[in-house]
Amino acid sequence: MMADNKVKKVVLAYSGGLDTSIIIPWLKENYDNCEVIAVSGNVGQGTELDGLEEKAIKTGASKLYIEDLNKEFVEEYVFPTIKAGAVYEGKYLLGTSFARPIIAKRIVEIAKAEGADAICHGCTGKGNDQVRFELAIKAYAPDMKIIAPWRTWEFKSREEEIVYAEEKNIPLKINRETNYSKDKNLWHLSHEGLDLEDPANEPMYNQEGFLEMGVSPEQAPDKPEYVTISFEKGIPVKLNGEAVDGVTMIEKLNEIGGRNGVGITDIVENRLVGMKARGVYETPGGTVLYAAHAKLEEICLDKDTLHYKQNLANTFADLVYDGKWYTPLREAMSAFVDSTQEYVTGDVKLKLYKGNIIDAGVISPYSLYDEEIATFDEDEVYDQNDSAGFINLFGLPIKVRAKKGLIK
């Protein structure tokens, strides 16, 4: 590759994984020994951040920023998505999808502060993350040069990347046998590649080291565990009666859900770039939160609002999945969702048992459920004779078409 003389300083989205580890020396080799500044957005990767600075510097970076984005991630990205009830293709809780925009936004801020000529990411040309990163970069630095090595470099596989890393003495936490492509944050852990590329293969849930955030349902306790989550305006604020912040809420529910085998999803999803891809996601705490929030909405939202919101949720999920967080439509949808959450306040009790989430009770001061109206026993508020006239009017269009002989 010809050196680009205009690129003297590059800010790299750095995770310390295989791709970004070899990108640092690759950039310096291919861009005339340019300065590389690594940036890691901390959205709950945990121990993956240990030793990252030393590794980045040894690999050739001039410095490493580790930005704590957890609070903002939960409050401004996770909670709005939970409130929307957005689930991609009915199964995926968007763990990687809504983490990319906040990381990319912070990278842009640092790139501007550092006077960088370009931003680099390690996303492949087959994945969704390239779109998510680059749309966020375009939103906040529309003229910034973007370098995506996977589209241009000589490596054709992760195996070739490992060989390059070994030649450069770059330490890796993976090996050829357990080289799953993973993404971890506070919300979830994804697994892709290797045996998972064949949908006929059952994931090795019970193999040591595969699941990291919990256990398989078979390995979960034989006794159920109850959990109570309290919401205020659609936001979870208490866990088992104790007030906790959003980050702590997810951390604790990850522990609780994980040990009960909750939140493991195996999906062949439709990627934005057109292909189908198979992945296994661990989202223990998030799965519990979604279930609790949906249960509370059952009693707090009227029929029309609930049904309309359920339709909107699919579009919201598509926008997040496709990297369109910083768009007018997503913002407008969030404004609508927020208005629906005004009275989504109350307590939800769930029973967790061997991968299952079982409803165990829900209460709200704003519940639209009226026991006196709904009862099968005698009541003084509902005249069942009224239903005859209602049905006559409700069914009038059908009756007219039938009399005209138009019913086939």
Side-chain angles (χ1 to χ4, degrees):
M1 178 182 292
M2 294 291 292
D4 189 336
N5 294 325
K6 294 182 180 180
V7 177
K8 299 184 182 301
K9 184 184 291 188
V10 180
V11 171
L12 169 66
Y14 183 72
S15 68
L18 175 59
D19 294 332
T20 58
S21 292
I22 68 172
I23 281 175
I24 295 176
W26 184 88
L27 283 171
K28 298 180 79 68
E29 288 177 358
N30 289 274
Y31 287 88
D32 197 23
N33 199 35
C34 64
E35 179 183 359
V36 179
I37 298 172
V39 178
S40 293
N42 178 6
V43 286
Q45 299 94 311
T47 57
E48 289 186 7
L49 298 172
D50 294 348
L52 217 54
E53 182 173 11
E54 179 183 4
K55 181 177 180 179
I57 301 301
K58 281 186 176 181
T59 314
S62 62
K63 67 176 76 170
L64 170 68
Y65 288 87
I66 297 180
E67 303 292 291
D68 187 353
L69 304 174
N70 281 285
K71 184 175 186 293
E72 182 182 354
F73 173 49
V74 171
E75 294 179 357
E76 298 186 23
Y77 296 80
V78 175
F79 283 171
T81 307
I82 295 175
K83 289 190 290 184
V87 181
Y88 186 69
E89 297 188 338
K91 297 178 76 173
Y92 175 40
L93 299 186
L94 301 165
T96 299
S97 307
F98 54 31
R100 295 314 188 215
I102 183 176
I103 294 172
K105 180 182 178 184
R106 185 65 185 126
I107 288 171
V108 168
E109 292 168 352
I110 291 173
K112 288 181 176 180
E114 288 281 354
D117 305 302
I119 291 174
C120 178
H121 64 74
C123 307
T124 75
K126 288 186 175 182
N128 303 301
D129 280 345
Q130 57 180 336
V131 181
R132 297 163 184 157
F133 268 112
E134 294 187 29
L135 291 191
I137 293 169
K138 291 180 187 300
Y140 289 98
D143 297 323
M144 181 68 70
K145 179 179 177 62
I146 298 172
I147 300 173
W150 259 107
R151 300 174 194 160
T152 60
W153 67 12
E154 62 272 28
F155 311 119
K156 304 301 181 185
S157 68
R158 289 174 68 80
E159 174 69 23
E160 292 182 10
E161 289 183 274
I162 293 175
V163 171
Y164 180 82
E166 291 172 344
E167 291 175 351
K168 299 294 181 180
N169 296 314
I170 299 172
L172 300 174
K173 295 182 179 180
I174 61 174
N175 57 51
R176 288 170 172 79
E177 289 70 37
T178 61
N179 184 22
Y180 288 106
S181 176
K182 296 187 178 185
D183 176 69
K184 184 178 183 180
N185 59 39
L186 176 68
W187 184 251
H188 90 155
L189 173 65
S190 64
H191 309 256
E192 294 179 320
L194 297 181
D195 57 299
L196 297 178
E197 290 188 349
D198 185 350
N201 291 332
E202 180 182 3
M204 297 181 290
Y205 297 128
N206 293 320
Q207 177 175 299
E208 184 177 354
F210 183 79
L211 295 177
E212 297 182 26
M213 298 183 72
V215 299
S216 68
E218 297 96 324
Q219 295 173 322
D222 293 330
K223 182 179 180 181
E225 181 172 358
Y226 287 87
V227 61
T228 299
I229 301 171
S230 302
F231 291 83
E232 290 182 6
K233 296 185 176 183
I235 295 175
V237 294
K238 289 182 180 181
L239 178 59
N240 294 328
E242 178 185 358
V244 292
D245 62 80
V247 173
T248 304
M249 172 72 72
I250 294 172
E251 289 174 339
K252 288 183 176 294
L253 283 175
N254 279 338
E255 295 175 8
I256 296 170
R259 64 176 173 249
N260 286 284
V262 166
I264 302 169
T265 298
D266 180 356
I267 179 176
V268 177
E269 68 197 56
N270 289 292
R271 281 185 178 171
L272 175 59
V273 293
M275 70 182 71
K276 288 185 181 290
R278 198 267 189 99
V280 171
Y281 298 101
E282 298 180 62
T283 322
T287 303
V288 174
L289 281 176
Y290 263 81
H293 181 261
K295 187 63 182 178
L296 184 58
E297 285 192 325
E298 285 183 12
I299 66 171
C300 292
L301 297 186
D302 65 276
K303 175 185 173 181
D304 288 345
T305 301
L306 178 62
H307 288 190
Y308 190 85
K309 185 173 175 292
Q310 288 171 337
N311 290 331
L312 174 145
N314 288 327
T315 302
F316 195 104
D318 285 346
L319 290 175
V320 178
Y321 188 86
D322 292 349
K324 295 182 177 180
W325 187 270
Y326 304 116
T327 60
L329 180 56
R330 200 283 306 166
E331 292 170 359
M333 284 187 167
S334 284
F336 165 79
V337 169
D338 284 345
S339 72
T340 70
Q341 302 298 291
E342 182 68 23
Y343 300 108
V344 182
T345 295
D347 301 334
V348 181
K349 187 177 182 181
L350 300 171
K351 179 166 65 173
L352 312 183
Y353 181 65
K354 289 189 175 296
N356 295 288
I357 300 177
I358 303 164
D359 297 331
V362 56
I363 59 174
S364 170
Y366 306 110
S367 174
L368 300 179
Y369 177 83
D370 190 317
E371 186 175 354
E372 188 175 8
I373 292 176
T375 183
F376 283 96
D377 294 330
E378 183 178 354
D379 67 83
E380 302 295 330
V381 296
Y382 189 98
D383 188 346
Q384 298 195 31
N385 290 323
D386 290 343
S387 62
F390 162 73
I391 295 171
N392 285 336
L393 295 179
F394 190 66
L396 185 58
I398 295 175
K399 183 177 180 178
V400 170
R401 293 188 77 241
K403 294 180 74 171
K404 295 288 186 178
L406 302 177
I407 303 294
K408 295 180 181 179

mmCIF file of all heavy atoms in Angstrom, residues 271-294:
data_model
loop_
_atom_site.group_PDB
_atom_site.id
_atom_site.type_symbol
_atom_site.label_atom_id
_atom_site.label_comp_id
_atom_site.label_asym_id
_atom_site.label_seq_id
_atom_site.Cartn_x
_atom_site.Cartn_y
_atom_site.Cartn_z
ATOM 1 N N ARG A 271 -28.105 -9.968 8.688
ATOM 2 C CA ARG A 271 -27.215 -8.827 8.830
ATOM 3 C C ARG A 271 -27.590 -7.718 7.859
ATOM 4 O O ARG A 271 -28.195 -7.965 6.806
ATOM 5 C CB ARG A 271 -25.761 -9.241 8.569
ATOM 6 C CG ARG A 271 -25.101 -9.947 9.735
ATOM 7 C CD ARG A 271 -23.640 -10.215 9.454
ATOM 8 N NE ARG A 271 -23.004 -10.860 10.605
ATOM 9 C CZ ARG A 271 -21.781 -11.363 10.578
ATOM 10 N NH1 ARG A 271 -21.070 -11.317 9.454
ATOM 11 N NH2 ARG A 271 -21.262 -11.923 11.655
ATOM 12 N N LEU A 272 -27.181 -6.522 8.194
ATOM 13 C CA LEU A 272 -27.456 -5.361 7.365
ATOM 14 C C LEU A 272 -26.822 -5.497 5.984
ATOM 15 O O LEU A 272 -27.385 -5.042 4.981
ATOM 16 C CB LEU A 272 -26.924 -4.102 8.067
ATOM 17 C CG LEU A 272 -26.998 -2.780 7.318
ATOM 18 C CD1 LEU A 272 -28.437 -2.456 6.952
ATOM 19 C CD2 LEU A 272 -26.403 -1.662 8.165
ATOM 20 N N VAL A 273 -25.664 -6.158 5.911
ATOM 21 C CA VAL A 273 -24.956 -6.271 4.629
ATOM 22 C C VAL A 273 -25.538 -7.349 3.718
ATOM 23 O O VAL A 273 -25.012 -7.598 2.641
ATOM 24 C CB VAL A 273 -23.453 -6.534 4.856
ATOM 25 C CG1 VAL A 273 -22.786 -5.334 5.504
ATOM 26 C CG2 VAL A 273 -23.242 -7.789 5.700
ATOM 27 N N GLY A 274 -26.615 -8.005 4.134
ATOM 28 C CA GLY A 274 -27.340 -8.881 3.221
ATOM 29 C C GLY A 274 -27.249 -10.362 3.494
ATOM 30 O O GLY A 274 -28.035 -11.132 2.947
ATOM 31 N N MET A 275 -26.299 -10.787 4.304
ATOM 32 C CA MET A 275 -26.147 -12.217 4.553
ATOM 33 C C MET A 275 -26.833 -12.620 5.851
ATOM 34 O O MET A 275 -27.155 -11.782 6.699
ATOM 35 C CB MET A 275 -24.657 -12.567 4.653
ATOM 36 C CG MET A 275 -23.978 -12.045 5.904
ATOM 37 S SD MET A 275 -22.213 -12.422 5.972
ATOM 38 C CE MET A 275 -21.596 -11.343 4.697
ATOM 39 N N LYS A 276 -27.030 -13.903 6.010
ATOM 40 C CA LYS A 276 -27.468 -14.456 7.283
ATOM 41 C C LYS A 276 -26.233 -14.876 8.073
ATOM 42 O O LYS A 276 -25.263 -15.385 7.500
ATOM 43 C CB LYS A 276 -28.395 -15.645 7.082
ATOM 44 C CG LYS A 276 -29.778 -15.272 6.569
ATOM 45 C CD LYS A 276 -30.684 -16.487 6.503
ATOM 46 C CE LYS A 276 -32.066 -16.113 5.966
ATOM 47 N NZ LYS A 276 -32.835 -15.300 6.916
ATOM 48 N N ALA A 277 -26.268 -14.676 9.381
ATOM 49 C CA ALA A 277 -25.134 -15.042 10.228
ATOM 50 C C ALA A 277 -25.658 -15.640 11.517
ATOM 51 O O ALA A 277 -26.679 -15.202 12.055
ATOM 52 C CB ALA A 277 -24.261 -13.826 10.522
ATOM 53 N N ARG A 278 -24.934 -16.636 12.005
ATOM 54 C CA ARG A 278 -25.364 -17.333 13.219
ATOM 55 C C ARG A 278 -24.537 -16.857 14.409
ATOM 56 O O ARG A 278 -23.316 -16.726 14.338
ATOM 57 C CB ARG A 278 -25.169 -18.835 13.017
ATOM 58 C CG ARG A 278 -25.936 -19.757 13.964
ATOM 59 C CD ARG A 278 -25.155 -20.171 15.197
ATOM 60 N NE ARG A 278 -25.842 -21.201 15.950
ATOM 61 C CZ ARG A 278 -25.564 -22.499 15.880
ATOM 62 N NH1 ARG A 278 -24.580 -22.923 15.091
ATOM 63 N NH2 ARG A 278 -26.233 -23.374 16.610
ATOM 64 N N GLY A 279 -25.204 -16.590 15.501
ATOM 65 C CA GLY A 279 -24.516 -16.165 16.709
ATOM 66 C C GLY A 279 -25.223 -16.661 17.949
ATOM 67 O O GLY A 279 -26.423 -16.958 17.926
ATOM 68 N N VAL A 280 -24.463 -16.772 19.034
ATOM 69 C CA VAL A 280 -25.023 -17.093 20.343
ATOM 70 C C VAL A 280 -24.774 -15.905 21.255
ATOM 71 O O VAL A 280 -23.644 -15.421 21.364
ATOM 72 C CB VAL A 280 -24.379 -18.371 20.934
ATOM 73 C CG1 VAL A 280 -24.810 -18.564 22.385
ATOM 74 C CG2 VAL A 280 -24.773 -19.585 20.100
ATOM 75 N N TYR A 281 -25.834 -15.423 21.871
ATOM 76 C CA TYR A 281 -25.746 -14.257 22.740
ATOM 77 C C TYR A 281 -26.101 -14.621 24.176
ATOM 78 O O TYR A 281 -27.069 -15.341 24.420
ATOM 79 C CB TYR A 281 -26.702 -13.159 22.261
ATOM 80 C CG TYR A 281 -26.413 -12.642 20.875
ATOM 81 C CD1 TYR A 281 -27.169 -13.069 19.787
ATOM 82 C CD2 TYR A 281 -25.384 -11.740 20.657
ATOM 83 C CE1 TYR A 281 -26.902 -12.597 18.508
ATOM 84 C CE2 TYR A 281 -25.115 -11.252 19.383
ATOM 85 C CZ TYR A 281 -25.871 -11.683 18.320
ATOM 86 O OH TYR A 281 -25.607 -11.222 17.053
ATOM 87 N N GLU A 282 -25.319 -14.108 25.103
ATOM 88 C CA GLU A 282 -25.633 -14.207 26.525
ATOM 89 C C GLU A 282 -26.078 -12.829 27.001
ATOM 90 O O GLU A 282 -25.299 -11.867 26.966
ATOM 91 C CB GLU A 282 -24.409 -14.646 27.326
ATOM 92 C CG GLU A 282 -23.865 -16.012 26.985
ATOM 93 C CD GLU A 282 -22.656 -16.353 27.834
ATOM 94 O OE1 GLU A 282 -22.801 -16.431 29.073
ATOM 95 O OE2 GLU A 282 -21.555 -16.528 27.267
ATOM 96 N N THR A 283 -27.319 -12.719 27.442
ATOM 97 C CA THR A 283 -27.844 -11.438 27.933
ATOM 98 C C THR A 283 -28.722 -11.707 29.159
ATOM 99 O O THR A 283 -29.945 -11.502 29.130
ATOM 100 C CB THR A 283 -28.684 -10.726 26.844
ATOM 101 O OG1 THR A 283 -28.080 -10.910 25.571
ATOM 102 C CG2 THR A 283 -28.807 -9.238 27.149
ATOM 103 N N PRO A 284 -28.136 -12.184 30.255
ATOM 104 C CA PRO A 284 -28.962 -12.612 31.399
ATOM 105 C C PRO A 284 -29.746 -11.479 32.055
ATOM 106 O O PRO A 284 -30.963 -11.563 32.207
ATOM 107 C CB PRO A 284 -27.940 -13.229 32.353
ATOM 108 C CG PRO A 284 -26.613 -12.685 31.928
ATOM 109 C CD PRO A 284 -26.704 -12.456 30.460
ATOM 110 N N GLY A 285 -29.059 -10.403 32.438
ATOM 111 C CA GLY A 285 -29.755 -9.306 33.104
ATOM 112 C C GLY A 285 -30.705 -8.590 32.187
ATOM 113 O O GLY A 285 -31.831 -8.226 32.576
ATOM 114 N N GLY A 286 -30.292 -8.383 30.947
ATOM 115 C CA GLY A 286 -31.145 -7.687 29.996
ATOM 116 C C GLY A 286 -32.420 -8.440 29.693
ATOM 117 O O GLY A 286 -33.492 -7.843 29.542
ATOM 118 N N THR A 287 -32.322 -9.760 29.607
ATOM 119 C CA THR A 287 -33.511 -10.573 29.347
ATOM 120 C C THR A 287 -34.514 -10.440 30.484
ATOM 121 O O THR A 287 -35.730 -10.352 30.256
ATOM 122 C CB THR A 287 -33.109 -12.044 29.155
ATOM 123 O OG1 THR A 287 -32.164 -12.128 28.077
ATOM 124 C CG2 THR A 287 -34.306 -12.909 28.818
ATOM 125 N N VAL A 288 -34.015 -10.393 31.706
ATOM 126 C CA VAL A 288 -34.901 -10.216 32.865
ATOM 127 C C VAL A 288 -35.550 -8.842 32.830
ATOM 128 O O VAL A 288 -36.763 -8.702 33.063
ATOM 129 C CB VAL A 288 -34.113 -10.411 34.183
ATOM 130 C CG1 VAL A 288 -35.002 -10.090 35.387
ATOM 131 C CG2 VAL A 288 -33.574 -11.834 34.284
ATOM 132 N N LEU A 289 -34.783 -7.813 32.508
ATOM 133 C CA LEU A 289 -35.329 -6.451 32.467
ATOM 134 C C LEU A 289 -36.387 -6.305 31.382
ATOM 135 O O LEU A 289 -37.430 -5.671 31.600
ATOM 136 C CB LEU A 289 -34.209 -5.442 32.239
ATOM 137 C CG LEU A 289 -33.356 -5.083 33.451
ATOM 138 C CD1 LEU A 289 -32.220 -4.153 33.053
ATOM 139 C CD2 LEU A 289 -34.208 -4.434 34.541
ATOM 140 N N TYR A 290 -36.140 -6.863 30.210
ATOM 141 C CA TYR A 290 -37.129 -6.796 29.138
ATOM 142 C C TYR A 290 -38.435 -7.478 29.556
ATOM 143 O O TYR A 290 -39.534 -6.961 29.318
ATOM 144 C CB TYR A 290 -36.588 -7.466 27.873
ATOM 145 C CG TYR A 290 -35.987 -6.510 26.868
ATOM 146 C CD1 TYR A 290 -34.698 -6.029 27.021
ATOM 147 C CD2 TYR A 290 -36.707 -6.094 25.757
ATOM 148 C CE1 TYR A 290 -34.127 -5.166 26.100
ATOM 149 C CE2 TYR A 290 -36.157 -5.231 24.822
ATOM 150 C CZ TYR A 290 -34.870 -4.771 24.995
ATOM 151 O OH TYR A 290 -34.319 -3.909 24.071
ATOM 152 N N ALA A 291 -38.311 -8.644 30.187
ATOM 153 C CA ALA A 291 -39.507 -9.378 30.609
ATOM 154 C C ALA A 291 -40.288 -8.605 31.654
ATOM 155 O O ALA A 291 -41.522 -8.531 31.610
ATOM 156 C CB ALA A 291 -39.112 -10.751 31.151
ATOM 157 N N ALA A 292 -39.586 -8.015 32.600
ATOM 158 C CA ALA A 292 -40.245 -7.262 33.668
ATOM 159 C C ALA A 292 -40.934 -6.020 33.114
ATOM 160 O O ALA A 292 -42.081 -5.707 33.477
ATOM 161 C CB ALA A 292 -39.224 -6.874 34.740
ATOM 162 N N HIS A 293 -40.244 -5.305 32.244
ATOM 163 C CA HIS A 293 -40.818 -4.081 31.675
ATOM 164 C C HIS A 293 -42.068 -4.391 30.851
ATOM 165 O O HIS A 293 -43.086 -3.689 30.946
ATOM 166 C CB HIS A 293 -39.775 -3.370 30.814
ATOM 167 C CG HIS A 293 -40.262 -2.098 30.211
ATOM 168 N ND1 HIS A 293 -40.714 -2.023 28.909
ATOM 169 C CD2 HIS A 293 -40.397 -0.858 30.732
ATOM 170 C CE1 HIS A 293 -41.088 -0.790 28.651
ATOM 171 N NE2 HIS A 293 -40.905 -0.048 29.733
ATOM 172 N N ALA A 294 -42.004 -5.448 30.052
ATOM 173 C CA ALA A 294 -43.165 -5.830 29.240
ATOM 174 C C ALA A 294 -44.345 -6.222 30.118
ATOM 175 O O ALA A 294 -45.497 -5.902 29.807
ATOM 176 C CB ALA A 294 -42.786 -6.982 28.308
#
